[in-house]
């Protein structure tokens, strides 16, 4: 699928023609460009299935806040992306969603010494108008850094 990668709105418009899982997988496979937020934040989609999405990133000093650890907004953005893509993977062509509510619990601080982490999003329930997902940030050994839930509103075509 050919789109103007310089315009993320063109990529999103192309995505509306695809089932949600096909759209997420096209980004994962490099057939469509990743959204600019991925480059800005330093994360990448590494797995996508129906109702599930996994992102990876390695926290670095560029992600730090003034108190000496990775800013909580980085974890929140990683989990919002993972849970959002998990929800997106359940949609039909032309359907759209957005995050309505988000709750996060930070279990331990991320630092540049943490190494690569995964943001894992899993859908819990989908109805005609809403979806609920959960997310986890884990390191390579499965240690939990953050846990979140999200409610998304869905507009069906």
């Amino acid at each position: 699928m050919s789109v103007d990668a310089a315009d993320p709105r063109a990529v999103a418009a192309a995505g509306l023609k695809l089932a949600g899982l096909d759209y997420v997988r096209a980004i994962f496979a490099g057939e469509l460009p990743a959204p600019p937020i991925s480059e800005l934040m330093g994360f990448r989609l590494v797995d996508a299935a129906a109702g599930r999405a996994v992102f990876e990133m390695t926290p670095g000093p560029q992600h730090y806040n003034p108190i000496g650890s990775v800013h909580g907004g980085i974890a929140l953005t990683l989990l919002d992306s993972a849970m959002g893509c998990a929800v997106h993977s359940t949609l039909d062509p032309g359907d759209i969603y957005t995050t309505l509510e988000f709750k996060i619990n930070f279990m331990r601080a991320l630092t540049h010494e943490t190494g690569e982490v995964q943001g894992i999003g899993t859908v819990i329930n989908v109805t005609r108008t809403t979806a609920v997902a959960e997310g986890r940030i884990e390191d390579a050994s499965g240690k939990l850094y953050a846990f979140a839930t999200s409610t998304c509103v869905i507009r069906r075509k």
Side-chain angles (χ1 to χ4, degrees):
M1 177 176 293
S2 177
V3 297
D4 179 5
D7 184 356
R9 295 169 300 173
V11 177
L16 286 174
K17 299 173 185 163
L18 300 172
L21 182 56
D22 293 337
Y23 179 51
V24 173
R25 284 185 172 162
I27 293 170
F28 172 64
E31 297 165 6
L32 287 172
I37 191 73
S38 296
E39 182 180 343
L40 177 68
M41 304 298 268
F43 56 74
R44 62 205 165 281
L45 178 65
V46 296
D47 188 30
R52 185 171 189 274
V54 180
F55 284 78
E56 287 181 347
M57 74 169 297
T58 303
Q62 72 275 19
H63 298 122
Y64 272 49
N65 59 28
I67 61 172
S69 62
V70 172
H71 192 284
I74 300 297
L76 190 142
T77 303
L78 179 64
L79 287 174
D80 188 45
S81 297
M83 291 185 294
C85 283
V87 168
H88 198 128
S89 73
T90 69
L91 301 180
D92 292 328
D95 292 350
I96 60 171
Y97 79 97
T98 193
T99 301
L100 180 65
E101 177 195 42
F102 191 101
K103 166 77 167 87
I104 189 167
N105 291 299
F106 299 100
M107 311 312 277
R108 56 181 44 88
L110 290 168
T111 72
H112 67 281
E113 296 170 338
T114 303
E116 188 172 78
V117 295
Q118 288 191 327
I120 305 160
T122 307
V123 170
I124 297 171
N125 189 57
V126 179
T127 70
R128 176 147 181 77
T129 58
T130 60
V132 176
E134 65 182 7
R136 301 171 62 86
I137 295 179
E138 299 177 354
D139 67 13
S141 67
K143 188 183 294 183
L144 182 64
Y145 286 79
F147 176 82
T149 56
S150 177
T151 303
C152 296
V153 63
I154 299 172
R155 190 179 80 208
R156 306 281 182 180
K157 181 177 171 188

